[in-house]
Amino acid sequence: MENEQHGNKKYGMVINLDKCTGCGACMVACMSENNVPFKKDETDKLKSITWMRLFKLSNKKSYPDSDICYLPRPCMHCAGPHEHGHSPCVSVCPATATDYSTETGIVSQIYTRCFGCRYCMAACPYHARYFNWWDPVWPEGMEKYLSPNVSVRMRGVVEKCSFCFHRYQLAMDKAYVEGRRELEEKEYQTACTQACPAGAITFGDLNNPEHKVHQLAQPDPEHDGRPRNPNVFRLLERLGTNPKVYYFSSREWVRRSGDNYLKDEVMPGAH
Amino acid sequence: MKIDRRCFLSLGIGAAAGVALSPLPWKLADDSSIWTQNWPWTPVPKDGKVSHVNSTCSLCPGGCGISVRKVGDRAVKIEGAAGHPVNDGGICIRGLSGLQLLYGPTRVKTPLKRAGKRGEGKWTKISWQEAIGEVAQALGKLRDGGQPHTLAAVMGSDRGTVSQLMQRFMSAYGSPNFFRMPSVQDAYEQALYLMQGERAMAGFDVDNADFVLSFGSGLIEGWGAPVRMIRACGKWVQDGVRIVQAEPRLSNTAAKAAVNGDWLPIKPGTEAALALGIANVIIRENLFNQFVDQASSGFESAVDSEGRQHKGFKELVLTSYSPETVAGITGIDADRITAVARDFAAAKHPLALAGRGMGHTPGSVYDIMAVQALNALVGNINADGGVWAVPEPDYIQWDAPEIDKTAAEGNQKGRIDGAGSADAPYSRYLMNRFAGAVLGKSTYAIQALLVSEANPAYSLPDTEAFKAALDAIPLVVSFSSFMDETAAQADLILPNHVYLERYEDIAAPAGFSKPLIGLCRPAVDPQFDTRHVGDAIIAIAGKLGGNTAAAFPWADYKACLRDTFGSRWDDLRQTGYWWNEAYQPSSAESGFKTTSGKFEFVATALREYSKKSDAMMPHYEPIAPEGDASKFSLVLMPYDTLRLSSGYVGSPPFMMKSVPDTVLKGNVGLVGVNPETASSLGLTEGADAVIETPKGRAAVKVHLSAGVPPDCVFMPRGLGHSAYDDYLAGKGVNIYQLMGPVEDPVSGLDAAWGIRANLIKA
Amino acid sequence: MIDSALIPEGVKRCPTWKFLLALAVCGVVLLWGVIAMLLCWFKGLNQTNMNDYYGFALWIWADLGVIALGGGAFFTGLLRYVIGKDELKHIINYAVLIGFICYSSALLILAIDIGQPLRGWFIFWHANVHSMLTEVAFCLTCYFGVLCIEYLPLILENRQIDKVPFFHNLSHNFHEIMAVFAATGAFLSFFHQGSLGGVAGVLYGRPFGYRTGLLVWPWTFFLFTWSAAACGPCFTIFITRLTEKITGKQLVKPNVIHLLAKIAGWMLASYMVAKIADTLWWAFRTAPSEGFNWRDFYSNNALYGPWILFMEIVVCGILPALILTVKSLRERSGLLFTAVGLAALGVLLNRWVMVLQVLAVPVLPFDKWALYYPSWQEVATTILPVAYGVILIMISYRYLPIFPQERELNAVDSAV
Ligand SMILES: Nc1nc2c(c(=O)[nH]1)N[C@H]1C(S)=C(S)[C@@H](COP(=O)(O)OP(=O)(O)OC[C@H]3O[C@@H](n4cnc5c(=O)[nH]c(N)nc54)[C@H](O)[C@@H]3O)O[C@H]1N2
Ligand SMILES: Nc1nc2c(c(=O)[nH]1)N[C@H]1C(S)=C(S)[C@@H](COP(=O)(O)OP(=O)(O)OC[C@H]3O[C@@H](n4cnc5c(=O)[nH]c(N)nc54)[C@H](O)[C@@H]3O)O[C@H]1N2
Ligand code: SF4
Ligand code: SF4
Ligand code: SF4
Ligand code: SF4
Ligand code: SF4
Ligand SMILES: [Mo]
């Protein structure tokens, strides 16, 4: 297993939910970085493209024992069982319009190839995928701020968080020009990580012991990257999607909210 | 050749087969798919040379450093400037959305003159020359008629060169009626003046605090400099710093406090009582710092030379604010109060801070004094991790303008809001009294109003009253970059550049503990026919001539700015900001600027206000919400969220997109209601309802929230715009339509924290 | 009648005006559907009420539904040509016709359902062999080709076309080799019915749909094929009976119907055993291992309750299986009609559950049930194939010898 991974990167995130304030900067940093369109009414959250979405978790207790926690949800860039790249979404796309890169661990989305069947959306339990139900339209003049690094998606295709892949490409281009084959940790950081005022998001190569994400999550290669840090969890760990986004929380109820458990089931690592 | 049916059919089939085998259908299929990949109506962003412009964000008082990424001549992204003392790379949702303001449809693109009735939305485009001429002519007439004092000006800030230019204009012209929009800074400045004798800004050394006790402040919801505070909070979590939040509602800050600290679900409006209850424990258990003995006055009761008994703070607190008494007022158990007090006193660098939510409402000065007294008890006034008195920026050293007779007479007239007069001696601006004064409570009528970088018609409590006041003012001039609510009611709009197109000094981020000046500079050329408000003021003054013109020796605003900074200008342009990193406030030993030279628990300055010793000390004086409790069974309260902009600029589309569907659904705003309260009112999740207060009524939907205390209704600030574009206008309710100000008895500042209300099933 | 020359010899058809009137009525419904279809193509899928939680909705259910119901064609074909149940030749034409309608509808719906119809062919060009949908697309298209080939001889049997010697011979030759196509069709059908079952079954991120299985195929793969083989023929019988009721004529002899009903009955019965076993395994092994109690899938929402399981397994499964397998029961006309109707309903319900309920069930513990109702455009596009099917049946029935036994069963006074 480890040998197969040798030299390959596995980019991932650790999001510290103790630090996350729910401020929404990550959401908007992403929209602004990635040319995400908007409509006049965005209150139907089932039709609102948010590559990074903030969920508000509640401990379901009544006032004043109530507690809440925000959970930012980008695409998990699931590797699927045994790191084979059979992400829930990638494995079902009939046109190979979304792909798993064994080089970076990033799940790509090729807008020009996607034909909009939405099977990948049905497959993704995290609702990380969004369909362009409408043509993207910017009010007159506002298209001036669109970034040429990320192509604007046409109506009828699916899009999602790319871990700001263009930033990886730009960083790699720069490295190659400078005769390097490897990136420094800080050279490739996502827009949401960069923006987060709380420093709640850490991004880097989970395979690289030097990188903070590796140290925080302590992924267990024997168990598809399951975190060894007892305060770290992944969403829906039990489904075997093998996500690369990890969450840290010191609160047990929050960690328990990350997966489904039977009523009296004891959460692994619960104390 | 005769074509029979058989032949025809064979030919047909043959042709079909031929077409199918030819490249034609495949080519067509390929071309059509390629066409879908290049739909001409899907924009293709142009590529170009990438560059970055370092600047300062001025969308809130946060003063973040920003880096604007450009491609060719287009700005494509705003990022936080790495290494900046305020935000070090972080940025908030509003700062990130700035380009939607720059390139957005709500910009006022050229000077406009009202064509129809006020607020009708009919405008005539005019030239800058005409616009300046019109304003100068009208103001000239007023002045010539001996009425310069009937001009009023409202701005978002009173610091920095732009605001100073406006204030200079006002005094050279002859009016005392300059206004700054209200905020908790008003109350903090006053509390600092009363207890420490200094006209200073409150700075909070948040990075070095190791225990944070917050009285309802939205530490991660926009209080102070928003990004700085969120960064600090991230650090507190990292370092295990305890946060205790006293707040009625489970806000994001309260929830954060619950992670490693405590949320004290306090009864609304009783924060000062809690602070004094905590003080009680600290005093009774002798946990207070030597600062009290060495550097304070008014702690112990005393008898003066004439034999009069003067109650001290200690006696007041010990007699009136036992934890048990306070528990009864605040709803927080005595044990919990005691525990918090002990922990607070035991911490090395405890920090207590106040100002509800983002600090939109000044609040009661006594509240702030009570919290400041706590800081004094633990000795963290002007100390590491404590509250610092940061001197107001002094870099603007212009020669005083020459004042002619007309101006001198005008300036002599009292302000219409009575700020600085006997009933509010230490208040500088009382915007909450503006509408009442204009509508007849003042000795004279306001004839003209200038508004810049402020949207009072939206963001002042009791919007109806303010609109009525605008109606009563013959000339309203807006310098707004956007068609906001105030601009929409104006007679003339002289649109300013937006912050990404202009130079400006951004002085002193809110709550920042060290002197800092950020430079805002153009990232792109002005997109429209707009003009810097500084240039507009200089031009108007020039047109007015005489002393007013003479007060402005600069050719234009940029010359003024360069002149102001002198030798520091180049440095400022290089780094984008200037700060005094080594700054340390004067230590307690070196004394305070009060009459006693000490920190005053009994504010001697308040002797003017009241001879009763209690009234000179921090104490709990309940501010009752407006309305008759027998007619209204609930209390409506505002809350702040960083996902909505509630000040001068409206929320751009990205921010609106981030608003949860539990806050806004379609065009209807949701109010947060406690589930039990809702069920007693027969209301379920998502139910339509009408909220009714003494000020008005509005249709809303209900969101059940276990974070809301019983019998309270919460509504965010920042919704319910009538102006701006379709992405913002008409969505939800502006809480200030439903709520008015309530005066703080000691300062006259707005101290309302809620209003009585009913929620009725629709 | 002006079109009498086209009508098969020796059968009676309603007057032309009546036929045209009925055609017009269906035509209006068809037009409504076509308008909705064009709206979806030109304005995009914002015309629907689908959303990011409901990426699959009414259409995909209709798609899976009609394909299951069209299963009568492959299974009857298999019985007739491969297994040699010769009596079934009297109903095979109709089974093929119904199959043709169902499959052409399914393809049309897919072409409307995708966000980029002009890129639909990428599914073949950039095929991902791991995707069930790729398998579906390939098999579905191939089988539709087979159905065309099976339907073509029927058209060629039209009185006028048959007069052309070329077509006469062609038709004859087709009949000779039909067994090959039927076998191919049955094979393809087995796979695409199965892969349609796999569509939800492989979704390991969706515990409500996900099933363990055999090799690369989840159990739903086999269950879908099985249920289509059981319920497809039931639908053929149902439509045949309906046609008989509408035309007021007996078109197929009871022994043929009863034979097919009996086979379908045993298929349904065995399917039910498998379905119940699958449900138990899923509810008590698979779901709990992912942290779900099976009741979680049927509570906290306004629509999906345990009643669905009861409906699908008892009312539309065990009950019709009982009726169809017991000779005395299935030979009672009313009961037979009810049973085949229930079986068809059952398979539709199953497909609904496997599409819409899969998406409705919250997976993230902090998420909510997502309920959805279709827009009129979706309803119209879903009814479009029904109208189209009725029209095709009307035309085929009128002009083609669909029911070989019709003449024998309904002697016509040649004077008319
Ligand atoms: N006929 C036809 N041909 C096409 C297309 C089409 O629409 N029609 N599409 C064209 C397009 S747009 C593309 S991108 C190519 C695909 O061809 P390539 O450009 O070669 O894309 P990948 O092989 O996906 O890119 C290499 C790796 O980058 C990783 N990756 C991560 N993030 C991203 C991302 O955001 N984008 C991409 N592309 N890769 C990412 C993927 O995991 C992948 O393994 O095919 C092109 N060919
Ligand atoms: N977030 C995210 N970002 C991505 C990717 C991702 O998956 N996710 N994918 C990345 C990858 S791999 C790729 S390849 C790119 C794709 O992004 P782009 O390379 O930008 O691809 P397109 O979106 O097809 O845009 C190409 C544009 O070129 C123009 N064009 C095409 N053909 C012609 C022509 O013949 N003449 C002229 N004048 N113009 C033409 C069209 O206007 C078309 O919109 O996006 C990259 N960015
Ligand atoms: S930017 Fe950071 S703190 Fe704000 S919501 Fe996102 S992760 Fe949380
Ligand atoms: S989160 Fe969803 S979209 Fe992202 S890789 Fe996993 S399954 Fe695919
Ligand atoms: S919608 Fe696009 S990316 Fe998703 S499965 Fe279909 S073709 Fe693939
Ligand atoms: S990694 Fe990039 S694409 Fe993904 S959520 Fe963050 S900003 Fe958006
Ligand atoms: S906190 Fe204020 S100054 Fe900083 S980016 Fe946000 S709006 Fe701008
Ligand atoms: Mo590409």
Side-chain angles (χ1 to χ4, degrees), chain B residues 392-450:
Chain B
E392 303 217 341
D394 60 354
Y395 61 92
I396 302 176
Q397 300 291 351
W398 303 331
D399 298 333
E402 257 183 59
I403 305 289
D404 64 12
K405 188 164 157 285
T406 318
E409 278 171 17
N411 287 333
Q412 292 293 298
K413 299 270 191 332
R415 289 174 58 91
I416 54 159
D417 59 357
S421 70
D423 78 323
Y426 305 112
S427 295
R428 298 204 278 188
Y429 318 106
L430 293 170
M431 203 56 212
N432 48 311
R433 289 185 180 170
F434 183 88
V438 167
L439 292 171
K441 287 192 199 108
S442 165
T443 47
Y444 55 89
I446 290 294
Q447 298 295 331
L449 174 69
L450 310 178

Side-chain angles (χ1 to χ4, degrees), chain A residues 18-20 22 25 33 37-38 40 43 45 49 54 63 66 70 112 135 144-146 167 194-195 197, chain B residues 37 41 69 74 76-77 79 89 91 96 100 231 238 248 252 256 527 643 657 659 665-666 706 731:
Chain A
D18 285 355
K19 286 187 181 176
C20 173
E33 177 79 14
F38 54 86
K40 285 180 182 159
T43 63
K45 299 302 172 189
I49 304 179
L54 275 166
Y63 190 90
S66 38
Y70 287 90
T112 41
D135 280 304
K144 274 194 193 157
Y145 74 59
L146 294 177
R167 288 187 172 215
Q194 180 192 30
Chain B
Q37 296 167 347
W41 58 88
R69 193 203 307 160
R74 305 184 294 121
V76 301
K77 176 98 191 281
E79 281 157 2
I91 185 165
L96 279 158
Q100 295 193 321
R231 272 182 61 217
Q238 185 81 45
N252 293 354
K256 194 85 326 179
Q527 301 292 302
R643 311 240 197 125
K657 190 168 177 173
V659 173
K665 190 76 197 162
K731 294 180 187 291

Side-chain angles (χ1 to χ4, degrees), chain B residues 346-379:
Chain B
K348 257 209 177 94
H349 303 291
L351 172 63
L353 27 79
R356 296 185 187 96
M358 272 186 194
H360 266 283
T361 309
S364 160
V365 168
Y366 286 133
D367 285 11
I368 308 282
M369 286 170 73
V371 174
Q372 200 59 357
L374 271 185
N375 285 319
L377 286 179
V378 293

Side-chain angles (χ1 to χ4, degrees), chain B residues 135-149:
Chain B
V135 178
Q137 194 193 6
L139 297 191
K141 228 159 132 194
L142 264 190
R143 199 170 192 276
D144 293 345
Q147 302 285 305
H149 58 286

Side-chain angles (χ1 to χ4, degrees), chain B residues 8-327:
Chain B
F8 178 80
L9 277 160
S10 323
L11 274 176
I13 290 171
V19 169
L21 292 175
S22 81
L24 187 69
W26 314 105
K27 174 82 178 117
L28 281 176
D30 194 33
D31 282 355
S32 65
S33 69
I34 291 172
W35 173 67
T36 67
Q37 296 167 347
N38 299 289
W39 278 339
W41 58 88
T42 305
V44 181
K46 255 204 297 231
D47 217 337
K49 199 173 156 296
V50 178
S51 59
H52 292 86
V53 178
N54 281 332
S55 184
T56 301
C57 177
S58 67
L59 294 178
C60 88
C64 295
I66 53 173
S67 167
V68 182
R69 193 203 307 160
K70 289 179 71 180
V71 171
D73 60 357
R74 305 184 294 121
V76 301
K77 176 98 191 281
I78 299 177
E79 281 157 2
H84 193 281
V86 174
N87 56 314
D88 188 19
I91 185 165
C92 87
I93 184 169
R94 190 183 329 179
L96 279 158
S97 308
L99 297 179
Q100 295 193 321
L101 295 168
L102 171 68
Y103 295 126
T106 63
R107 291 287 304 267
V108 179
K109 301 185 172 76
T110 127
L112 295 176
K113 184 182 171 158
R114 176 166 62 82
K117 283 196 256 10
R118 276 261 178 91
E120 206 186 352
K122 289 193 183 144
W123 302 96
T124 316
K125 291 181 182 172
I126 54 173
S127 71
W128 271 101
Q129 205 182 349
E130 286 171 295
I132 301 284
E134 292 241 5
V135 178
Q137 194 193 6
L139 297 191
K141 228 159 132 194
L142 264 190
R143 199 170 192 276
D144 293 345
Q147 302 285 305
H149 58 286
T150 62
L151 170 68
V154 177
M155 289 192 84
S157 163
D158 62 354
R159 290 194 278 269
T161 50
V162 173
S163 183
Q164 289 297 320
L165 282 176
M166 181 67 95
Q167 290 173 61
R168 189 177 179 86
F169 177 85
M170 293 299 279
S171 45
Y173 176 83
S175 171
N177 288 309
F178 174 87
F179 287 84
R180 174 180 82 178
M181 288 294 280
S183 79
V184 71
Q185 293 200 30
D186 294 311
Y188 251 113
E189 283 167 13
Q190 200 162 147
L192 248 52
Y193 180 73
L194 291 173
M195 302 178 100
Q196 294 169 222
E198 237 180 306
R199 281 284 178 202
M201 305 172 300
F204 303 87
D205 188 17
V206 290
D207 289 335
N208 294 310
D210 65 358
F211 187 107
V212 180
L213 175 56
S214 151
F215 292 86
S217 303
L219 301 180
I220 54 172
E221 288 152 300
W223 184 92
V227 171
R228 172 178 185 250
M229 290 309 297
I230 295 179
R231 272 182 61 217
C233 187
K235 189 170 174 289
W236 295 334
V237 170
Q238 185 81 45
D239 300 348
V241 169
R242 288 193 61 201
I243 312 168
V244 174
Q245 175 79 351
E247 190 177 1
R249 173 179 160 270
L250 177 66
S251 65
N252 293 354
T253 307
K256 194 85 326 179
V259 174
N260 180 34
D262 208 359
W263 166 43
L264 306 178
I266 192 173
K267 279 190 197 151
T270 65
E271 289 87 345
L274 179 66
L276 296 164
I278 292 171
N280 176 291
V281 178
I282 294 175
I283 295 171
R284 209 181 31 181
E285 301 188 359
N286 257 314
L287 303 174
F288 53 88
N289 188 278
Q290 54 188 16
F291 172 92
V292 174
D293 296 330
Q294 293 169 3
S296 82
S297 75
F299 184 68
E300 302 286 351
S301 302
V303 181
D304 68 15
S305 49
E306 286 152 44
R308 272 191 310 237
Q309 191 75 26
H310 289 284
K311 203 198 273 177
F313 183 65
K314 180 175 167 183
E315 189 187 338
L316 171 74
V317 168
L318 289 181
T319 51
S320 308
Y321 298 102
S322 71
E324 292 70 28
T325 311
V326 169

